[in-house]
Amino acid sequence: MVDDRLAAAGRGLGQFTLATLGLVSPFLPFALGIFPRALAPLPHPSARLINAGWFLETYLLVLLVICVVVILATGAADVRNNWMVVWFPLPLYLLLRIKVLTDAGGAKRRLNWFAGALLIVALAVPAGLVGRGFVGPETCRKCNFFVPYSELARSLVVAGFSAGTIVAVDRPNQIAGNLRRYFPHARVISTRWRDYMPPLNAAGQAGEGGKCALIWSGGPSGGGEGRMLVEELRGGIPVPKQTIFRRTTHSLPRNPEKRLSWSFVVLDGEGTCR
């Protein structure tokens, strides 16, 4: 048991390191590559900068210790880069040291190189997004950016849904939030974010109208998590066994050979699924 936890913690520490580097890159390698002396002892900064530096150093060291201790204590093996946003003061700390270094007359010319490198990265991001839009449909794995959500919404409308509650199984694609665009007055619930349960709208609270729609990725035999949630919302009334689940299949834009399928059903409103 202890060995398993240590092995998991080892994987977690590895992911923690990669996630941290991923979050502060490419700023970190640029900063250290262009200003290698920024991490060396600095010449006589002002008291204001010294205090700011001490504060940031303390924050970063305490954060590092807390993260390592938590990973070791819990055996967390999955550490994701989007959790590492707490490292945002690290670039500020490096900029502070770079300022002290350049104010003292060291490597001032390199500021132009540094600014140029950051500008290139800033311009490369939108260019990369445009490129992703062109090649993404042929290379994507989950294809979240290219799912034909408008076609999914049209399928629900054809099946009789116009208002009420939509329960979406948000794996592998996050369907719920994207369908919300096409049904602005509907109540949309995601099985992935069960901690948030949006309230019924005024019509639903009054017990008027409204359908109960369930949609998931894959064939009619799936959607178990969504079915259980629908049953719960319908006051314990299960989805009838004789229910016919519809299936809709659509190809990705600019890649007709890659097709994705979803199954769905539109039920009469019951309980709080209306």
Side-chain angles (χ1 to χ4, degrees):
M1 187 70 176
V2 174
D3 291 341
D4 291 343
R5 174 170 290 187
L6 288 177
R11 293 193 299 272
L13 289 175
Q15 288 196 15
F16 169 72
T17 302
L18 293 176
T20 299
L21 292 176
L23 187 74
V24 297
S25 296
F27 179 87
L28 182 64
F30 282 169
L32 297 183
I34 297 175
F35 300 99
R37 291 174 52 200
L39 293 182
L42 296 176
H44 312 299
S46 67
R48 181 172 61 86
L49 293 180
I50 289 177
N51 292 334
W54 281 350
F55 172 78
L56 291 173
E57 284 177 355
T58 303
Y59 171 88
L60 294 170
L61 288 174
V62 170
L63 179 64
L64 176 63
V65 171
I66 291 175
C67 290
V68 171
V69 169
V70 169
I71 292 173
L72 291 175
T74 62
D78 185 17
V79 180
R80 303 184 182 183
N81 56 357
N82 56 309
W83 298 348
M84 294 295 102
V85 68
V86 290
W87 285 114
F88 75 92
L90 180 56
L92 300 179
Y93 176 67
L94 289 175
L95 287 174
L96 185 66
R97 297 188 68 91
I98 290 171
K99 173 178 173 54
V100 174
L101 178 66
T102 55
D103 285 350
K108 271 195 172 182
R109 291 183 179 178
R110 297 189 180 187
L111 280 175
N112 294 331
W113 304 348
F114 188 48
L118 295 181
L119 179 61
I120 291 173
V121 172
L123 295 176
V125 170
L129 290 175
V130 172
R132 183 178 185 179
F134 283 108
V135 304
E138 297 181 0
T139 60
C140 63
R141 187 165 53 91
K142 293 184 179 179
C143 305
N144 284 312
F145 292 102
F146 310 104
V147 170
Y149 296 106
S150 61
E151 297 297 329
L152 292 182
R154 188 174 295 111
S155 297
L156 291 178
V157 171
V158 171
F161 184 88
S162 59
T165 296
I166 300 174
V167 175
V169 180
D170 273 351
R171 296 184 187 277
N173 305 109
Q174 296 185 20
I175 308 171
N178 287 286
L179 287 180
R180 184 74 170 81
R181 298 163 48 206
Y182 302 98
F183 301 100
H185 301 295
R187 177 189 185 215
V188 181
I189 300 174
S190 168
T191 59
R192 189 171 181 177
W193 315 110
R194 289 290 301 273
D195 290 338
Y196 173 66
M197 188 66 64
L200 284 169
N201 56 25
Q205 291 176 1
E208 300 174 357
K211 298 283 189 177
C212 178
L214 168 63
I215 183 169
W216 67 90
S217 176
S221 61
E225 188 178 2
R227 298 189 199 205
M228 289 189 291
L229 179 54
V230 165
E231 180 177 339
E232 178 184 327
L233 294 173
R234 283 161 52 92
I237 302 175
V239 177
K241 293 183 179 180
Q242 67 273 22
T243 299
I244 298 176
F245 296 98
R246 304 188 182 211
R247 186 170 185 176
T248 180
T249 302
H250 303 282
S251 58
L252 296 186
R254 299 189 305 281
N255 186 7
E257 295 181 359
K258 187 175 182 65
R259 301 176 65 82
L260 301 178
S261 297
W262 293 266
S263 297
F264 66 95
V265 63
V266 177
L267 304 168
D268 291 332
E270 294 282 354
T272 59
C273 192
R274 61 172 64 249

